[in-house]
Amino acid sequence: IAGITQAPTSQILAAGRRMTLRCTQDMRHNAMYWYRQDLGLGLRLIHYSNTAGTTGKGEVPDGYSVSRANTDDFPLTLASAVPSQTSVYFCASSRLSGRDNEQFFGPGTRLTVL
Amino acid sequence: GEDVEQSLFLSVREGDSSVINCTYTDSSSTYLYWYKQEPGAGLQLLTYIFSNMDMKQDQRLTVLLNKKDKHLSLRIADTQTGDSAIYFCDRGGTALIFGKGTTLSVSS
């Protein structure tokens, strides 16, 4: 089934630990994105990648890193987690052509940092 | 101000019409979008409008676009409990700015 998947579904993490959130899409979309969603703050872009091999910073990139070694995968790494990174994280992808920039979202990862 | 602004909450009774409004500061995008987020799920595209259109109707949904005033609205006719969700306006393009979303609560 074509789409975008994220893993894990949820995670509880001790502060200071390293964590990688995984995101995979099989739609051959050029662009991929990571957002965090917090109550009252809406969706905020963390990092993005317009094509394999390139990445860019979004609105709230500090404390996060990404890589885009291939078209399908776009992992998000928290090098040393802090409680303020407790959030729901959404990965998304888009073609960046055709119908402009319609985005397809994954189901989300709920992360709690204690 | 914010690039995209929406009111945070809307509460309606089942069967009534709902109108969710969005204002944005700039859009050179070909399309503008409305996304729906149901509880515990990611966003899904609900509808979109081509930037040279004023209105688009899709079953119970009507999208109105006023480019001069930079205003986008979503009207849901005969609102159902299943319409309860958060609705996000996206002005399109590569700027990737979503509003904070409007939480629609439908009571029976």
Side-chain angles (χ1 to χ4, degrees), chain B:
Chain B
E2 299 282 336
D3 283 291
V4 177
E5 291 193 4
Q6 299 177 236
S7 49
L8 293 181
F9 300 102
L10 177 64
S11 181
V12 301
R13 287 186 175 276
E14 194 173 20
D16 288 349
S17 292
S18 307
V19 179
I20 301 171
N21 294 302
C22 170
T23 57
Y24 54 92
T25 55
D26 183 41
S27 176
S28 56
S29 174
T30 305
Y31 298 92
L32 296 92
Y33 308 92
W34 282 103
Y35 288 85
K36 178 183 180 183
Q37 183 183 29
E38 297 188 353
L43 280 68
Q44 285 195 302
L45 182 69
L46 184 65
T47 188
Y48 64 95
I49 187 167
F50 192 53
S51 60
N52 69 355
M53 296 171 64
D54 297 326
M55 184 181 82
K56 176 184 177 182
Q57 187 142 6
D58 182 3
Q59 299 182 339
R60 292 190 298 120
L61 305 178
T62 303
V63 180
L64 296 176
L65 174 61
N66 182 328
K67 287 185 71 174
K68 174 177 173 289
D69 294 338
K70 294 183 172 60
H71 184 264
L72 184 71
S73 69
L74 173 70
R75 180 177 180 268
I76 305 173
D78 187 25
T79 311
Q80 304 297 307
T81 54
D83 295 323
S84 293
I86 306 175
Y87 292 81
F88 290 90
C89 160
D90 175 11
R91 61 179 175 85
T94 58
L96 304 169
I97 304 293
F98 286 90
K100 292 180 180 175
T102 299
T103 298
L104 174 64
S105 175
V106 183
S107 57
S108 56

Side-chain angles (χ1 to χ4, degrees), chain A residues 33 35 37 40-43 45 48 59 90 96 98-108 110, chain B residues 29-31 33 35 37 40-45 48 86 88 90 92-96 98-100:
Chain A
Y33 316 90
Y35 296 90
Q37 185 176 27
L41 296 176
L43 277 173
L45 181 66
Y48 66 93
E59 182 184 356
F90 288 99
L96 266 191
R99 201 160 68 192
D100 210 21
N101 199 25
E102 175 190 351
Q103 295 186 49
F104 295 78
F105 283 80
R110 183 174 295 275
Chain B
S29 174
T30 305
Y31 298 92
Y33 308 92
Y35 288 85
Q37 183 183 29
L43 280 68
Q44 285 195 302
L45 182 69
Y48 64 95
I86 306 175
F88 290 90
D90 175 11
T94 58
L96 304 169
F98 286 90
K100 292 180 180 175

